Amino acid sequence: MSAPRPGGGVPPHRLEADLLLMLTTVIAAAGWIFSKEALAGIPPLIFIGLRFAIAGLVLAMFSLPQLRALDRRGLRNSLLVGALFAGGMVLWILGLSHSSHLGEASFISSMGIVMVPVFARLFFGDRPPASTWFALPLALAGFACLSLDGGFEVELGQWFFLGAALVFAMMFNVNSHIVRNVPVRALSVVQMLAVGVLVLPPALVIEPWPQTWSAPVLGWLLASALLATTLRFLLQLHGQSLTTPSHAALIMMLEPVWTALAAAWWFAETMSALQLAGCGLIFLALVVSRWAWLRGLFGGRG
């Protein structure tokens, strides 16, 4: 990871990092479209198991040195993170299968970012920044607006996405507090393969295997695995290595915005005034939660 230059300057290759991370968010947004289209021909749990099994195997071919360096303790801790990741992805794909509005869903999923410091306080005793306590009510107000859009009733898909956001918030904390000195690529391979190993066998028992695989459905599956998962990770890892974590996180917050725009273009989705207000409040919560980083990036200049 590039260190900041003396005197408060920016790390080298900042433009390259910005472009790579921006491309990562666009690919991530496209991944929502790929997955939704694949679900037209593949049951949700079978799809998510296949997606990450394929992605994990492909990524493993690019990560053999890191996997060889993984010791027993690192493997055990990586498997713990992988189990949490599998649980979060199950909730996410169930939410996607029950959701009729991808733009709204992507903003609900992003609430996990706001919950990360809250979980750090509850489970690890960390002291979250003061901005967390301003961001949290904004995010909850945004979720309430989305729930009120069709009357005061939280849809099943919204519950699944909220549950996924909470699991991912816990996973991020476990990543930072328990998984130490584990090569990033090796950790990611274990996470991806854990989804395939933990989800696919029970999925094959409770869901019917598709009797026919049309070319479009197979294409969406491969696009989800190879582009929205493997390629996205490789680009994100390289982009993050060229800039600071705070700067990378700010760019990655754009994913729900691109997802909403992609869903509007691909599925002709529209948002009511209440949905726009809800998504706007959640995005504002994301910005507030990163306020200290924003102040660090822009406050000392001039």
Side-chain angles (χ1 to χ4, degrees), residues 14-79:
R14 173 62 64 84
L15 178 60
E16 181 184 354
D18 288 353
L19 293 175
L20 285 171
L21 292 171
M22 190 72 72
L23 180 59
T24 298
T25 62
V26 173
I27 294 174
W32 286 74
I33 307 296
F34 300 161
S35 297
K36 189 67 173 179
E37 290 286 10
L39 291 179
I42 310 175
L45 296 181
I46 291 178
F47 164 73
I48 206 67
L50 287 174
R51 171 181 172 176
F52 281 92
I54 295 170
L57 290 173
V58 173
L59 185 60
M61 293 188 294
F62 293 92
S63 312
L64 293 178
Q66 292 86 353
L67 289 170
R68 293 191 186 101
L70 193 61
D71 59 20
R72 183 175 299 179
R73 181 179 180 182
L75 177 60
R76 183 178 65 249
N77 291 338
S78 298
L79 288 172

Side-chain angles (χ1 to χ4, degrees), residues 182-203:
V182 175
V184 177
R185 284 195 182 184
L187 175 61
S188 298
V189 169
V190 173
Q191 289 177 347
M192 293 179 188
L193 292 179
V195 179
V197 171
L198 295 176
V199 176
L200 197 53

Side-chain angles (χ1 to χ4, degrees), residues 227-241:
L227 299 181
T229 309
T230 306
L231 178 62
R232 171 195 175 184
F233 166 78
L234 292 172
L235 292 174
Q236 181 176 333
L237 179 62
H238 185 50
Q240 287 175 328
S241 71

Side-chain angles (χ1 to χ4, degrees), residues 52-295:
F52 281 92
I54 295 170
L57 290 173
V58 173
L59 185 60
M61 293 188 294
F62 293 92
S63 312
L64 293 178
Q66 292 86 353
L67 289 170
R68 293 191 186 101
L70 193 61
D71 59 20
R72 183 175 299 179
R73 181 179 180 182
L75 177 60
R76 183 178 65 249
N77 291 338
S78 298
L79 288 172
L80 172 61
V81 177
L84 287 171
F85 186 53
M89 289 310 305
V90 165
L91 291 171
W92 181 83
I93 198 61
L94 290 176
L96 192 63
S97 67
H98 286 87
S99 176
S100 58
H101 204 290
L102 265 64
E104 174 187 284
S106 64
F107 278 94
I108 296 176
S109 294
S110 69
M111 289 175 63
I113 297 174
V114 180
M115 294 301 300
V116 168
V118 178
F119 277 34
R121 174 64 176 173
L122 291 175
F123 294 99
F124 298 98
D126 291 355
R127 184 177 180 180
S131 58
T132 299
W133 309 117
F134 293 96
L136 187 58
L138 287 172
L140 294 176
F143 184 75
C145 287
L146 297 177
S147 304
L148 286 167
D149 187 57
F152 191 69
E153 181 180 359
V154 182
E155 298 177 358
L156 183 59
Q158 293 174 328
W159 281 122
F160 279 130
F161 281 120
L162 182 59
L166 296 177
V167 173
F168 288 140
M170 175 57 75
M171 187 191 79
F172 294 149
N173 276 287
V174 172
N175 258 334
S176 61
H177 287 84
I178 296 178
V179 180
R180 305 285 187 182
N181 302 319
V182 175
V184 177
R185 284 195 182 184
L187 175 61
S188 298
V189 169
V190 173
Q191 289 177 347
M192 293 179 188
L193 292 179
V195 179
V197 171
L198 295 176
V199 176
L200 197 53
L204 294 174
V205 174
I206 63 178
E207 291 181 338
W209 184 262
Q211 295 185 355
T212 59
W213 291 77
S214 66
V217 167
L218 185 58
W220 293 122
L221 170 62
L222 293 177
S224 298
L226 302 179
L227 299 181
T229 309
T230 306
L231 178 62
R232 171 195 175 184
F233 166 78
L234 292 172
L235 292 174
Q236 181 176 333
L237 179 62
H238 185 50
Q240 287 175 328
S241 71
L242 300 176
T243 188
T244 60
S246 57
H247 187 77
L250 290 173
I251 296 178
M252 298 302 292
M253 286 194 313
L254 293 174
E255 179 185 338
V257 177
W258 301 139
T259 303
L261 292 174
W265 171 62
W266 191 262
F267 295 116
E269 285 187 3
T270 58
M271 285 193 184
S272 66
L274 204 54
Q275 284 177 309
L276 286 171
C279 293
L281 284 170
I282 292 174
F283 187 74
L284 180 60
L286 298 179
V287 174
V288 170
S289 71
R290 294 292 184 268
W291 181 250
W293 288 351
L294 280 169
R295 187 170 55 186

